[in-house]
Amino acid sequence: MHFLRNLIILFLICIAIKINLCVPTIPSSLKTLPIDGHFDFKQVHHAAKDFGNRYSFLPSAVLHPKSASDIATTVKHIWEMGPGSHLTVAARGHGHSLQGQAQAHRGVVINMESLQGPKMKVHTGNFPYVDVSGSELWINILHETLKHGLAPKSWTDYLHLTVGGTLSNAGISGQAFRHGPQISNVRQLEVVTGKGEVVNCSEKQNSDLFYSVLGGLGQFGIITRARISLEPAPKMVKWIRVLYTDFATFAKDQEMLISGESTFDYIEGFVIINRTGLLNNWRSSFNSNDSAQASHFKSDGRTLFCLELAKYFNPEEMAIVNQEIMTSLSQLNHIPSTLFQSQVPYIEFLDRVHISEIKLRSKGLWEVPHPWLNLLIPRSNIHIFAQQVFGNILTNTSNGPILIYPVNKSKWDNRTSVVLPEEDVFYLVAFLSSAAPSSTGSDGLEHILSQNKRILELCEIDGLGVKQYLPHYSTNGEWRSHFGPQWEAFVHRKSTYDPLAILAPGQRIFQKAAPLSL
């Protein structure tokens, strides 16, 4: 009897030891690191959530750094621990990733918004620029640079994102046809690599790292500082919307506008599916060019295409600007009665999406699943895509804005890590869906994901040469296919700057310490 009892006790001790060995011991070693910021090992749940609201991976710790040195010390510590720790690091800015890209399961999430350092500094002159923290929000950069009559050249549609976050992807909006994406307007970076090294890089200094990090999905380093090019900022914006019923005409006009010295500073298009009373909704903030004709326009049950244009100007230029706009509009083939215009301050135009965010938050419709799908489609195949998607897959309704507009590849630097279609002009098509929680209908998550899958299958079967923007894949084969001929170069860069694959585990491209010659 005593033997049996002792055997049971021994068995339980062995289980306890085994369980104890399974408990991660990493956080205790992090506590000893000489940093100015601090680690949090308890309040970590917020770091397992993002804008996509579809994935949740709990980290072991959240680092709240005060400096780039804190980040470097942490990453270097993990690097020196070697592959046995299995610990990884994700940089989290404003948490706007869609599929857990800024999460680190049982790893360390770096709360970039805690990052301090030199204050934002605007440099004026013939080639103005601003030096900012990688954790800075673009909206704050806009406010500060406007004090000097300056502003960045290229934007995203939503400004409440961090510099490091958008530069790790590309940063695209309606200015990209002229200025390229945000990554084409960066002069210099400060980066913490996967070895814990703090490196300054630019076109002429450590250029390989510079171009690796830009659009590099966080795989090569964490952006802690950036130097952004600026230009003189306008005070006002002429904001214009017109409608089309025919996609071919809509696309032709867009391509014409981006092909030459367009008078417009911003060009985007979007698809409108079965939106009742569309023009009535616009009248709250836009003036119709012909109210009597517009009142007879019926949008019910039709797929329409909206061209959205903006012209920047200063008040003293009003007469010239109006003439330029009229000349440009006369070349378009839109439905005449659907010309709507508005005149707003520059900052109000750029921050327009934030106004929608405030409204959605007030209704509890912001923190819902966002199964977004962003595609880059060659111009030669955009008509096939539009016919199949807007004619067969999406016919009755949509669950959010659908953007569709062309950009010039010549404005993108081919040395960065971004993967683009192989044509001089390609379209960004973004399905910015929001899913109704708990719904099993057409506005539910599963239905939207099914539609996304059908769209991707169409692109694959028809060989449309499509590349995903903000890409996310689950298998090595899919990533290889995404990068294509650039895969080997991407792997080589990874092995150089983050050989243990410590950084950005949420992208699911590499596993820590896995051979990088996969």
Side-chain angles (χ1 to χ4, degrees), residues 46-50 90-95 102-103 109-113:
H46 71 282
K49 184 179 181 181
D50 58 26
R92 173 189 169 90
H94 208 50
Q103 299 178 29
V109 170
I110 299 175
N111 178 24
M112 296 298 290
E113 291 187 317

Side-chain angles (χ1 to χ4, degrees), residues 92 97 174 195 198 232 235 274 443:
R92 173 189 169 90
S97 56
K195 297 179 181 179
V198 181
K235 290 184 171 61
N274 197 19
D443 59 350

Side-chain angles (χ1 to χ4, degrees), residues 31 60 66 126 186 190-191 335 350 360 383 396 413 429:
K31 292 177 183 177
S60 293
K66 284 190 175 180
N126 292 333
V186 182
E190 178 187 78
V191 173
I335 304 169
L350 290 181
L360 290 172
H383 296 276
N396 297 320
D413 196 312
V429 182

Side-chain angles (χ1 to χ4, degrees), residues 73-83 194-195 500 502:
T73 297
T74 302
V75 175
K76 186 175 182 180
H77 175 71
I78 296 170
W79 157 254
E80 291 176 341
M81 293 179 72
K195 297 179 181 179
L500 285 186
I502 290 171

Side-chain angles (χ1 to χ4, degrees), residues 388-462:
Q388 292 297 323
V389 173
F390 307 126
N392 297 321
I393 298 176
L394 296 175
T395 55
N396 297 320
T397 185
S398 63
N399 293 290
I402 302 173
L403 306 182
I404 181 166
Y405 57 90
V407 292
N408 295 309
K409 191 175 183 178
S410 62
K411 303 297 183 179
W412 296 61
D413 196 312
N414 61 11
R415 292 170 289 185
T416 70
S417 293
V418 176
V419 180
L420 303 175
E422 297 180 355
E423 288 189 11
D424 293 337
V425 173
F426 59 88
Y427 278 74
L428 170 71
V429 182
F431 301 89
L432 308 181
S433 303
S434 297
S438 304
S439 173
T440 58
S442 61
D443 59 350
L445 178 61
E446 291 306 315
H447 179 80
I448 297 171
L449 290 175
S450 176
Q451 284 186 333
N452 289 350
K453 183 179 179 181
R454 289 180 63 192
I455 292 171
L456 290 172
E457 287 175 346
L458 162 72
C459 296
E460 182 69 24
I461 293 171
D462 287 3

Side-chain angles (χ1 to χ4, degrees), residues 237-257:
V237 173
K238 282 280 189 179
W239 189 2
I240 299 165
R241 287 178 179 173
V242 294
L243 287 177
Y244 296 75
T245 55
D246 177 61
F247 179 80
T249 306
F250 165 72
K252 183 179 179 181
D253 277 2
Q254 283 198 94
E255 291 172 19
M256 180 268 294
L257 287 173

Side-chain angles (χ1 to χ4, degrees), residues 117-389:
K119 290 185 178 180
M120 191 187 319
K121 187 173 182 180
V122 177
H123 299 259
T124 59
N126 292 333
F127 303 99
Y129 61 88
V130 59
D131 286 326
V132 299
S133 167
S135 63
E136 194 64 77
L137 297 182
W138 286 99
I139 183 63
N140 296 336
I141 296 173
L142 177 60
H143 282 295
E144 184 63 27
T145 56
L146 283 178
K147 295 176 183 177
H148 302 267
L150 299 166
K153 301 175 182 179
S154 191
W155 299 95
T156 55
D157 288 331
Y158 180 63
L159 304 189
H160 295 250
L161 304 172
T162 59
V163 168
T166 65
L167 296 186
S168 294
N169 290 285
I172 312 175
S173 185
Q175 304 86 3
F177 78 95
R178 173 174 292 171
H179 296 295
Q182 291 180 320
I183 58 172
S184 292
N185 296 278
V186 182
R187 296 191 191 177
Q188 184 175 310
L189 297 172
E190 178 187 78
V191 173
V192 177
T193 71
K195 297 179 181 179
E197 300 169 331
V198 181
V199 182
N200 287 307
C201 53
S202 65
E203 182 181 8
K204 296 182 179 179
Q205 178 186 17
N206 300 308
S207 60
D208 187 60
L209 177 60
F210 180 69
Y211 292 113
S212 296
V213 170
L214 293 174
L217 305 178
Q219 292 299 306
F220 311 107
I222 297 170
I223 298 171
T224 50
R225 297 284 295 173
R227 178 167 290 178
I228 311 297
S229 294
L230 303 176
E231 66 176 358
K235 290 184 171 61
M236 300 298 293
V237 173
K238 282 280 189 179
W239 189 2
I240 299 165
R241 287 178 179 173
V242 294
L243 287 177
Y244 296 75
T245 55
D246 177 61
F247 179 80
T249 306
F250 165 72
K252 183 179 179 181
D253 277 2
Q254 283 198 94
E255 291 172 19
M256 180 268 294
L257 287 173
I258 73 162
S259 65
E261 290 298 318
S262 171
T263 186
F264 296 106
D265 299 288
Y266 160 100
I267 298 170
E268 284 194 6
F270 55 95
V271 184
I272 302 162
I273 300 176
N274 197 19
R275 287 274 297 278
T276 303
L278 175 71
L279 299 191
N280 285 330
N281 295 334
W282 285 1
R283 286 192 179 92
S284 61
S285 53
F286 288 83
N287 297 315
S288 171
N289 198 51
D290 189 336
S291 298
Q293 285 293 320
S295 64
H296 294 296
F297 180 80
K298 303 297 181 184
S299 61
D300 301 12
R302 304 163 71 182
T303 296
L304 302 171
F305 305 96
C306 175
L307 178 56
E308 186 171 59
L309 308 165
K311 172 66 175 175
Y312 306 157
F313 70 100
N314 292 314
E316 62 272 18
E317 304 165 332
M318 178 77 75
I320 297 175
V321 165
N322 284 337
Q323 184 58 50
E324 287 180 347
I325 290 174
M326 290 301 294
T327 300
S328 295
L329 289 176
S330 68
Q331 301 174 47
L332 303 181
N333 295 287
H334 60 87
I335 304 169
S337 64
T338 64
L339 173 59
F340 278 70
Q341 299 188 58
S342 181
Q343 186 170 300
V344 297
Y346 179 62
I347 192 168
E348 182 179 323
F349 171 73
L350 290 181
D351 203 28
R352 61 198 179 280
V353 176
H354 184 54
I355 298 171
S356 299
E357 175 192 353
I358 294 171
K359 293 178 180 178
L360 290 172
R361 283 190 182 278
S362 68
K363 299 176 182 178
L365 298 176
W366 184 256
E367 295 186 359
V368 298
H370 295 102
W372 287 9
L373 178 63
N374 296 269
L375 305 174
L376 304 176
I377 303 175
R379 173 173 60 178
S380 63
N381 291 324
I382 193 64
H383 296 276
I384 297 172
F385 179 88
Q387 182 181 12
Q388 292 297 323
V389 173

